[in-house]
Amino acid sequence: MKGFLRADGRKGIRNVVLVTYLVECAHHVARAIVTKSDNENVQLIGFPGCYPNEYSLKIMEGLCTHPNVAGVLIVSLGCEGFNREQLANTIEASGRSVETLVIQKSGGTKTSIESGLESINELLVAANKFETVSMGLNELVVGTICGGSDGTSGIGANPAVGHCFDRLIEKDAICMFEETGELIGCEQIMAERAITPELGEEIMKSVAKAEQYYTHMGYGSFAPGNAEGGLSTQEEKSMGAYAKSGSSKIHGLIKPGDIPSQGGLYLMDVVPDGDPMFGFPNIVDSAEIVEMIASGCHIILFTTGRGSVVGSAISPVIKVCANPETYENMSGDMDINAGKVISGDATVQDVGNEIYDLVVQVAEGKPSKSEELGHQEFVLTYKKFEGTGPSCLPTIR
């Protein structure tokens, strides 16, 4: 397959130009620029908050320098707390083209949109100059998340993704799974899979932190829809979510925005550190997709039993549907019918191989269903994370 070669040596499977707003007050102008550009490779991301947050800056830096991104238009109101100068400098240092539009300095809404469209045209010209080169599976980063889980998720879709992960890791790809808040009860078996005892201890701590956080908030990750779909306990849901990780050794514990530098399996800890400050830790599945993309994911595998329609900006989302009835009802949004495992028409390994083949095809340019439908959901909120040490991250840059 071919990839777009970036200055840092990483390769992208898409060639996107981002319009990035830095406060909700700039959202309308940024969205109007994207809409009027009428180009599927011009995509919108942004941060709604007004006061500064190290997490949001780190995530935005990771997104704007992602291998799938060729250039960025930053849209600022002008008085928000976001450090637009640092973001622009980070993008420029990565070898990408970047333009900054400050609405308060450019005459307001109408003239800012006009100026933004001019910048987009220039950024698209620069994007087309990126060279495409040979790209191996060992240079691919794939993440997985489950949403709208039901009693079928842990039987078909999730273990099939795990089988796909094992095959990708055999090719030295980077694979990551997350949702430590949905892995409560699985910490011991994950720790036993860690490549070092120290990493195993850190995995145990991360799940204990998640349990404490959810207890403090008074709300866990077990939703009414999960119960309606046949799940009975948090532990049952956890075992299903855990199945997505496959059987490979766990090479590291990362936090959002950390980018592994070597192939292997990584667990992402998405639950904030310290006392609760900004609300529920996992606001929506789309927020966790964003965090994995900020950590370098070229593709996201999204498993669902009840059904989900979300996609994402920047990286393709592949939907793996666990429930045969859901697949029949929502086949236009689903890429893989893992319900064939439930109906007895395929094995977990069969579906895992099908997912693996589709990952390769999407990496080669085939659009996922969510891409075809124009889904580009994006959520970025406030969080707080402490830095991780070498025990967590034996292979990270």
Side-chain angles (χ1 to χ4, degrees):
M1 61 190 179
K2 296 287 187 179
F4 296 93
L5 180 63
R6 308 305 181 189
D8 61 5
R10 294 193 293 169
K11 299 168 186 175
I13 64 170
R14 298 293 186 267
N15 203 35
V16 172
V17 170
L18 292 179
V19 178
T20 305
Y21 62 90
L22 304 185
V23 65
E24 185 62 25
C25 305
H27 189 167
H28 173 77
V29 169
R31 183 175 295 279
I33 293 168
V34 172
T35 301
K36 291 177 180 293
S37 71
D38 193 26
N39 188 313
E40 63 182 8
N41 287 322
V42 178
Q43 300 184 2
L44 179 69
I45 69 171
F47 179 63
C50 193
Y51 65 93
N53 176 235
E54 291 182 7
Y55 158 83
S56 62
L57 177 59
K58 179 179 180 179
I59 296 298
M60 199 69 85
E61 287 178 321
L63 296 170
C64 290
T65 60
H66 188 280
N68 289 349
V69 174
V72 182
L73 171 62
I74 296 172
V75 182
S76 163
L77 176 61
C79 56
E80 69 275 359
F82 202 103
N83 190 337
R84 66 174 181 267
E85 292 83 6
Q86 181 174 331
L87 179 60
N89 290 338
T90 299
I91 299 167
E92 184 177 14
S94 76
R96 292 162 175 79
S97 300
V98 58
E99 300 285 342
T100 300
L101 175 65
V102 181
I103 297 170
Q104 291 171 345
K105 295 181 179 179
S106 61
T109 298
K110 184 176 180 180
T111 55
S112 294
I113 294 171
E114 292 170 352
S115 297
L117 288 169
E118 292 176 3
S119 295
I120 287 298
N121 290 333
E122 296 173 1
L123 290 167
L124 286 170
V125 170
N128 289 332
K129 295 179 180 179
F130 275 99
E131 179 185 7
T132 56
V133 298
S134 178
M135 180 177 176
L137 283 173
N138 63 320
E139 298 173 281
L140 202 61
V141 186
V142 181
T144 187
I145 179 176
C146 51
S149 301
D150 68 7
T152 67
S153 298
I155 302 171
N158 291 358
V161 166
H163 178 74
C164 172
F165 264 23
D166 289 342
R167 287 194 62 187
L168 287 169
I169 291 167
E170 286 177 0
K171 300 290 185 180
D172 204 30
I174 294 171
C175 294
M176 63 181 72
F177 69 113
E178 45 78 71
E179 300 166 305
T180 46
E182 295 185 10
L183 291 168
I184 295 169
C186 300
E187 57 270 28
Q188 184 62 53
I189 51 178
M190 289 193 295
E192 291 170 359
R193 291 171 59 192
I195 60 172
T196 66
E198 292 80 10
L199 174 59
E201 292 178 7
E202 295 298 333
I203 290 173
M204 295 282 287
K205 291 177 184 177
S206 73
V207 178
K209 178 188 70 172
E211 184 175 7
Q212 181 180 14
Y213 199 99
Y214 278 121
T215 300
H216 188 95
M217 295 302 296
Y219 186 85
S221 66
F222 194 89
N226 299 138
E228 290 174 6
L231 291 172
S232 61
T233 62
Q234 175 65 61
E235 289 78 10
E236 187 178 18
K237 184 181 181 184
S238 294
M239 288 303 296
Y242 169 75
K244 300 196 307 296
S245 66
S247 60
S248 303
K249 288 285 188 180
I250 299 175
H251 283 72
L253 177 68
I254 63 175
K255 295 184 181 181
D258 293 335
I259 302 174
S261 59
Q262 296 182 24
L265 180 65
Y266 296 82
L267 170 63
M268 176 177 283
D269 176 6
V270 299
V271 177
D273 292 320
D275 294 330
M277 297 176 65
F278 304 117
F280 297 127
N282 304 323
I283 183 170
V284 288
D285 296 326
S286 294
E288 295 172 354
I289 290 174
V290 165
E291 291 175 328
M292 287 192 291
I293 294 174
S295 288
C297 285
H298 293 96
I299 294 172
I300 303 295
L301 301 177
F302 191 120
T303 68
T304 183
R306 300 299 302 276
S308 174
V309 300
V310 302
S312 181
I314 303 174
S315 295
V317 174
I318 294 174
K319 297 287 185 24
V320 183
C321 185
N323 190 315
E325 294 180 359
T326 302
Y327 183 83
E328 183 178 354
N329 184 43
M330 301 180 66
S331 59
D333 287 274
M334 302 299 161
D335 297 275
I336 297 287
N337 179 15
K340 291 182 291 188
V341 175
I342 307 300
S343 62
D345 296 318
T347 66
V348 166
Q349 290 73 24
D350 292 336
V351 176
N353 291 335
E354 187 179 347
I355 298 169
Y356 176 90
D357 291 341
L358 184 56
V359 166
V360 174
Q361 293 168 22
V362 170
E364 290 175 339
K366 178 181 179 178
S368 68
K369 289 287 184 69
S370 64
E371 286 184 292
E372 288 180 341
L373 293 167
H375 282 281
Q376 295 176 7
E377 283 79 4
F378 185 89
V379 177
L380 178 59
T381 61
Y382 284 101
K383 282 188 179 182
K384 179 183 178 182
F385 287 98
E386 299 169 1
T388 54
S391 294
C392 291
L393 310 167
T395 53
I396 193 168
R397 65 180 175 85

